[in-house]
Amino acid sequence: LREDLVLKGHVFSSDTDTEVVAHLVEDFYRGDLLEAVQKATALLTGAYGIAVICTDEPGKMVITRKDSPIVVGCDSTGSYVASDIVALVRATRDVVILEDNQFALATPEGVTYYDRFGKEIEPEVTHIDWDIDVAERGGYPDFMLKEIHEQPKAVRDTLNSVVKDGRIDFKEMQISDEDLNKYEQIYIVACGSAWHVGMAAQYVLEDIADIPVRVELASE
């Protein structure tokens, strides 16, 4: 996509995938932002959650997603979009959890929803009635303690996703035993505290699997 856009005269200022999306929308733009975003996303592969604005159409935002969470809210004060319900409940309690390849056209007056073919739809509206502070911290006094206590469940859930009948099975991930035996090195790519966990896991994995392990900072 980048190569095609460059040939058309688009000039890029970064190597990010996100900028490719912006140029792609510009390339399709003919005065209708919704139509441009629909045509652009039809060419995208992978996961994305995007909200697009345009200087030619002030007061409008086109929102869509695929495999990445997007939540849209609207009330008398305006329209809102976020990647998590918790981020919106202080502004509105009525939200729409956008589904893959659905589109939302948000304005200060309201939000209109469309399917992948451009047909207007009426999505299900979810009313949030739980307490915001409880939802954010799960009853813990701070997020750090909450995340520490969530770690055992996170580990169990991760392991259970690949354990079948008491044995580790990677078939659903399309990894065979033959594939595993061919691996010569393991890379752990992470940031922040996850990077520190990776540093500790490096020694455990090398000891158990007898395979060299490298830990890289994701930001690098």
Side-chain angles (χ1 to χ4, degrees), residues 10-213:
H10 290 260
V11 179
F12 287 81
S13 58
S14 75
D15 294 323
T16 64
D17 291 340
T18 305
E19 189 183 357
V20 176
V21 177
H23 281 276
L24 197 59
V25 171
E26 180 192 11
D27 197 61
F28 280 115
Y29 186 71
R30 300 293 185 275
D32 187 329
L33 184 61
L34 175 63
E35 181 181 10
V37 175
Q38 289 172 329
K39 289 182 176 179
T41 53
L43 300 180
L44 301 182
T45 58
Y48 56 82
I50 56 177
V52 185
I53 59 175
C54 177
T55 54
D56 290 345
E57 297 186 57
K60 288 184 179 181
M61 179 184 294
V62 176
I63 305 146
T64 188
R65 59 153 277 184
K66 183 179 180 297
D67 301 327
S68 186
I70 286 288
V71 183
V72 181
C74 178
D75 67 4
S76 59
T77 63
S79 304
Y80 308 90
V81 59
S83 58
D84 192 284
I85 291 176
V86 172
L88 293 188
V89 292
R90 294 192 187 278
T92 178
R93 292 280 178 164
D94 295 314
V95 301
V96 170
I97 302 171
L98 212 62
E99 296 183 8
D100 281 354
N101 302 310
Q102 287 184 342
F103 297 83
L105 176 60
T107 69
E109 291 74 36
V111 183
T112 310
Y113 297 89
Y114 302 87
D115 64 14
R116 71 178 69 190
F117 306 109
K119 181 182 178 182
E120 188 172 333
I121 57 175
E122 290 288 339
E124 180 182 354
V125 177
T126 302
H127 180 72
I128 308 302
D129 55 10
W130 29 259
D131 181 80
I132 177 63
D133 291 328
V134 173
E136 286 183 331
R137 297 197 304 272
Y140 292 99
D142 54 64
F143 283 105
M144 178 176 286
L145 192 62
K146 173 177 179 287
E147 292 182 6
I148 289 172
H149 283 271
E150 286 175 343
Q151 287 175 11
K153 182 179 184 302
V155 172
R156 283 195 302 271
D157 290 345
T158 302
L159 292 176
N160 287 337
S161 69
V162 294
V163 173
K164 310 296 182 202
D165 300 321
R167 293 177 56 85
I168 295 175
D169 187 346
F170 290 115
K171 287 181 181 177
E172 289 188 7
M173 301 174 64
Q174 298 182 335
I175 300 175
S176 66
D177 291 342
E178 291 76 19
D179 292 329
L180 286 172
N181 289 328
K182 294 177 182 177
Y183 295 157
E184 298 178 351
Q185 187 156 306
I186 296 172
Y187 292 86
I188 299 175
V189 184
C191 273
S193 57
W195 181 74
H196 291 97
V197 174
M199 293 293 289
Q202 172 184 0
Y203 298 102
V204 177
L205 291 173
E206 286 185 339
D207 182 57
I208 293 175
D210 198 28
I211 296 176
V213 179

